[in-house]
Amino acid sequence: MKILFFVSQYCTGNLKLQPWLTIHRTGRKFRDLGHQVHIATDSMTADSEDFCLHRLKSLRGSNSLRIKNIIKEITPDKIIVSVSPTSLITAGWYELFRNHDTYAFMSNAFYNKREFIRAIRHLSLRDIVTFGGQVAVPEIFWAERLKSLFKGIICQSVNTAERLEKALKSAVSVYHIPPGIDIDDWHYIKKTENSTQQSIFLYTGSATKIRGFNLILKAFSKIHDPDIALMILARNAGEGQLDILKKQVRKYGVKCTVDIIGGWVSQKALKDYIYNARAVLLPFILVPSELPVTVMESIACGTPVIVSRIDGLPGSAGSAGLVIPHGNVDALVTAVERLHIDERLYNELTKSCNSVRESMMSWETVSLEWLRALEN
């Protein structure tokens, strides 16, 4: 079977992040099973030995002829397109899919106006424009496009799946397939009693407002327990960015111990930080790419998480984490302090990590689920 993905900004630097991680890992499994995999992307730096890459100047309607020629040249059996509410009404080249078996991959959550309004004061101007544009697209428009252009829809969170099923009224098949994890790389370690009495709360990822970074700084400015510390792994941050982050910490008046590390840490180092953390902080304001894998990796290691009640985070955390309203500083303060002092709660959560871990799917299983969806 020949499978063609259309995905923006597919490049080596993004392969550890969603949605590119899922496309890369499922694509490799498809290839290993004997399928021919093609990826069409607008990234000029795209490079891969795993697939046949087709670089495009853009994935806009102005490039429709080039896109049409790629489809004609490959003659794919299945086409998978990473879509968002905005692209569904602006990408005129989607009309080319009408005579093909095409599936939509929901790389963005479908937020409602209430969620966006609650989030807006915590977002950067860029995020306000991006997500505001998506929320502004009326449901009737994107729903009709999904019904008319796609044979099926794959999404990673239960929340998105339920919203789509409600909007589409069974007109298109919706498949909920969460991301996978290389579970053997993330060993579960049963936590022992905290002998140092210090609780380290870990934030890992790009230090951006949409991921709740500023929310964390506001929360920790209200925490005065000297035995509570904050560790920040600021993904991809260079020296200049680290200086800015340190100024932000001072600006918010954070008094507890704060350590900040930039760049990309190795997987081994990341696991060590997760193992040593009391909990991993994931208080996203909005989730840019459906479901961050950090929540799965943390729980797989036996470390509880604190997540916001947005998109697929509560479902992924399950009984292995505390859930707070998104954008709520006081709720985050309460969750951190509670996890620090309540050993019974902490022990329950770490025990639950193992149960949630056992329900996680491998990338091989995820890929087989994708194939079942494509073959229905």
Side-chain angles (χ1 to χ4, degrees), residues 189-206:
I189 295 181
K190 190 179 186 323
K191 303 289 182 174
T192 57
E193 186 175 347
N194 190 351
S195 58
T196 66
Q197 299 305 311
Q198 186 184 57
S199 294
I200 300 172
F201 289 84
L202 175 66
Y203 174 88
T204 175
S206 57

Side-chain angles (χ1 to χ4, degrees), residues 237-252:
E239 288 300 321
Q241 181 64 22
L242 288 177
D243 289 339
I244 293 173
L245 296 181
K246 291 173 183 176
K247 288 179 182 177
Q248 281 186 284
V249 170
R250 293 193 294 270
K251 173 186 173 183
Y252 282 98

Side-chain angles (χ1 to χ4, degrees), residues 7 15 31 45 54 60 77 138 152 191 215 277:
V7 55
L15 297 188
R31 180 207 60 188
T45 61
H54 306 267
R60 297 190 180 94
D77 299 293
K191 303 289 182 174
L215 191 81

Side-chain angles (χ1 to χ4, degrees), residues 1-7 30 36 38-40 67-68 70-83 93-105 149-154 370 373-374:
M1 182 163 63
K2 288 187 285 188
I3 302 171
L4 170 60
F5 287 91
F6 281 98
V7 55
F30 293 166
Q36 187 182 120
H38 297 259
I39 292 183
I67 295 169
K68 181 178 180 180
I70 287 176
I71 295 173
K72 184 177 180 180
E73 173 190 337
I74 296 171
T75 61
D77 299 293
K78 306 289 179 180
I79 297 176
I80 302 170
V81 189
S82 177
V83 307
W93 57 274
Y94 282 11
E95 293 294 328
L96 299 171
F97 301 147
R98 290 194 181 277
N99 297 321
H100 298 273
D101 276 353
T102 307
Y103 293 76
F105 173 38
L149 296 174
F150 298 96
K151 185 177 180 181
I153 303 166
I154 298 172
W370 272 63
L374 297 178

